[in-house]
Amino acid sequence: MNKAKKMPIGMKDLFYSKLLEDVKGGLTTYAPPKSLAGAVSGNLNPNGSITPFFSDDGPTVVVTSQGLMELELGIDALEKEVAAEIFGWRIDSNGVLIEGDSSNPPYIALGWRSETSDGGYKYVWLYKGKIQPPSEEYQTKGESVEIKSGSLNASFIKRDSDGEKKVSVHSNDEDIKPEVIVDWFTKVYEPDQELATP
């Protein structure tokens, strides 16, 4: 029996969660997830490398390594409260967003879901990264109005606690527990230490 192809055809429900603690050999804890912005597009590059070793006139060993996971994210617009939290900025008593040079943005987890061609959704969490403030583009209105969307660049690394970078699951997987999907955006998913038997 042929399974339906799970090709991505959408992106929605973009959430972030501030990383509170990440202890080597210990636990990683997060704040409750919050909505980041409306998702427009996402391009995730794992930046891995493959290096062959040659001997006896041919390749005999292939070594792989994982790099910095980079995400280019298209969004509609950021609320100032979200921008202040993810970039380490401040909002003063008059409600003005202050973008200081000495800001130290926190590590966050980033999650979303992508509709797929089989009618389900792929759910994703990236565990530990920082987002750069977006570039801003403005243009005067002419006879036709061009709407400008935002773009964010983020870099993600492995967690100190367990070395994990990313988790994902598909809602139509036969072995997935329903509560995993239901709870996906209420808390950052933590892997079960008991692995499934192949």
Side-chain angles (χ1 to χ4, degrees):
M1 178 176 146
N2 291 331
K3 293 184 177 181
K5 299 291 185 184
K6 300 174 181 177
M7 307 296 291
I9 58 174
M11 186 179 189
K12 64 188 302 185
D13 297 330
L14 195 55
F15 282 79
Y16 75 97
S17 178
K18 188 175 179 180
L19 191 152
L20 302 176
E21 185 180 31
D22 185 27
V23 180
K24 188 171 184 178
L27 296 175
T28 303
T29 57
Y30 298 92
K34 300 177 183 178
S35 178
L36 180 78
V40 176
S41 62
N43 183 12
L44 183 62
N45 184 355
N47 284 316
S49 66
I50 300 177
T51 305
F53 176 79
F54 290 81
S55 63
D56 289 336
D57 294 333
T60 55
V61 177
V62 175
V63 178
T64 62
S65 65
Q66 295 186 0
L68 184 69
M69 192 174 286
E70 294 181 313
L71 176 67
E72 184 179 343
L73 191 62
I75 59 168
D76 53 8
L78 285 176
E79 298 292 336
K80 66 181 177 182
E81 292 80 8
V82 174
E85 186 166 29
I86 66 175
F87 302 135
W89 293 341
R90 296 176 296 124
I91 299 173
D92 72 8
S93 59
N94 294 314
V96 176
L97 182 64
I98 304 169
E99 304 178 17
D101 290 336
S102 60
S103 62
N104 184 25
Y107 282 108
I108 64 165
L110 193 67
W112 67 87
R113 65 176 176 154
S114 171
E115 187 177 359
T116 53
S117 55
D118 67 339
Y121 282 90
K122 180 179 180 180
Y123 289 76
V124 177
W125 273 111
L126 303 178
Y127 273 148
K128 184 178 181 180
K130 293 190 177 188
I131 300 180
Q132 292 180 336
S135 59
E136 298 180 27
E137 183 179 353
Y138 301 94
Q139 180 177 321
T140 190
K141 290 194 296 185
E143 292 182 1
S144 60
V145 177
E146 182 178 348
I147 299 175
K148 300 293 184 181
S149 61
S151 179
L152 299 174
N153 291 301
S155 298
F156 288 84
I157 58 176
K158 63 184 180 180
R159 302 197 298 193
D160 291 336
S161 63
D162 54 12
E164 303 296 350
K165 283 185 181 179
K166 174 188 173 190
V167 287
S168 63
V169 70
H170 197 281
S171 61
N172 286 346
D173 287 346
E174 295 176 359
D175 56 349
I176 186 68
K177 295 178 181 178
E179 58 267 26
V180 171
I181 300 300
V182 172
D183 294 340
W184 196 259
F185 297 122
T186 62
K187 58 185 178 181
V188 176
Y189 178 80
E190 285 296 333
D192 190 337
Q193 298 306 311
E194 183 178 337
L195 300 179
T197 304

